[in-house]
Amino acid sequence: FFFRNKHRPFLLFFSFLHSHTPLLFFERFLGKSRHFFFGDNVEEMDCFFCQVLDAIDKEGLKDTTLVYFASDHGGWLERQEGERQLGGWNGIYKGGKAMGGWEGGIRVPGIFSWPGVLPAGRVIDEPTSLMDIYPTVVHLAGGAVPQDRVIDGRDLLPLLRGTVAHSDHEFLFHYCGVHLHAARWHQRDTGAVWKAHYVTPIFSPPGAGACYDTGVCPCFGEGVTNHEPPLLFELSQDPSEAKPLSADTELL
């Protein structure tokens, strides 16, 4: 692919089967990780991704190619085999796959590489979205996004290059299917990030951190709780969404 397109602009979208069940991988990666089959699967994906990067470098395209590595959702907590976790982990973040509001379901890695254009080793703590891929690619291709409709994504290049300090996303809305579950506000003058939850899934069994009884959390119906008023968290102080704020706590 890179050889055929090395002299013209190209877009390669590569979706790995890895880190999703069933976990399939070559035998040589078995036992490579401390995290059972899921970790072995990630080890193999890392190897294959490096092969893609090596191919870009081999064709002399490293300095002219923007690489963006990301995922579409957080770990699938309910996928287990005994004590073995098959669907990944989400660290300190609450919830997971199919949970449209909790951070564990929507916060994913975003890793960019473009030697000579983007500064190496820089960490950007700003809200972005996979919706940003479209306007960013259109900009790089010299085009213009349609003006006859609302485009929710934003061009990421100014943020990545450091010419602006903040993401264009002051607000982001988080859906489970077509159902609005949460919304976040980035208060730029203070740097605080607030999130309101209008709907949350009911974890099962009670007290669990996911919907283990059903295998996946629902987006609506009897399996969710509608909050009026919404649950409010200050993510910049409480990234695990453990302590919902109230009028009393906010006054403190």
Side-chain angles (χ1 to χ4, degrees), residues 226-249:
N226 294 278
H227 299 280
E228 182 59 47
L231 295 179
L232 179 64
F233 298 91
E234 185 181 356
L235 292 182
S236 42
Q237 299 295 325
D238 180 21
S240 298
E241 297 174 287
K243 301 175 182 178
L245 301 174
S246 66
D248 295 333
T249 58

Side-chain angles (χ1 to χ4, degrees), residues 46-207:
D46 179 67
C47 177
F48 289 171
F49 183 60
C50 286
Q51 291 180 19
V52 175
L53 297 180
D54 289 343
I56 292 173
D57 193 16
K58 179 181 177 181
E59 297 300 331
L61 299 171
K62 185 176 181 179
D63 293 338
T64 56
T65 302
L66 172 64
V67 177
Y68 180 16
F69 179 87
S71 178
D72 58 340
H73 57 70
W76 191 359
L77 301 179
E78 292 90 351
R79 290 296 292 119
Q80 296 177 325
E81 183 181 274
E83 295 182 356
R84 296 181 176 182
Q85 180 66 26
L86 302 183
W89 299 265
N90 298 311
I92 67 170
Y93 302 111
K94 190 172 185 176
K97 177 184 177 179
M99 304 182 205
W102 294 120
E103 288 293 281
I106 58 180
R107 185 185 287 250
V108 298
I111 304 173
F112 294 83
S113 175
W114 195 354
V117 177
L118 304 182
R122 183 166 173 249
V123 177
I124 300 174
D125 187 17
E126 289 285 315
T128 62
S129 167
L130 292 179
M131 296 185 296
D132 299 332
I133 294 175
Y134 172 61
T136 302
V137 169
V138 169
H139 170 78
L140 288 173
V145 297
Q147 300 298 308
D148 60 344
R149 71 205 70 179
V150 175
I151 302 297
D152 293 317
R154 300 289 187 267
D155 180 10
L156 288 173
L157 264 297
L159 182 65
L160 296 176
R161 284 174 165 161
T163 57
V164 299
H166 298 294
S167 163
D168 276 346
H169 291 291
E170 183 179 2
F171 296 94
L172 280 172
F173 300 92
H174 305 302
Y175 289 82
C176 183
V178 299
H179 304 276
L180 178 64
H181 275 208
R184 98 176 46 218
W185 172 41
H186 186 204
Q187 191 175 2
R188 293 177 177 173
D189 55 342
T190 66
V193 180
W194 306 85
K195 190 161 74 169
H197 286 263
Y198 307 103
V199 181
T200 56
I202 299 174
F203 292 152
S204 57

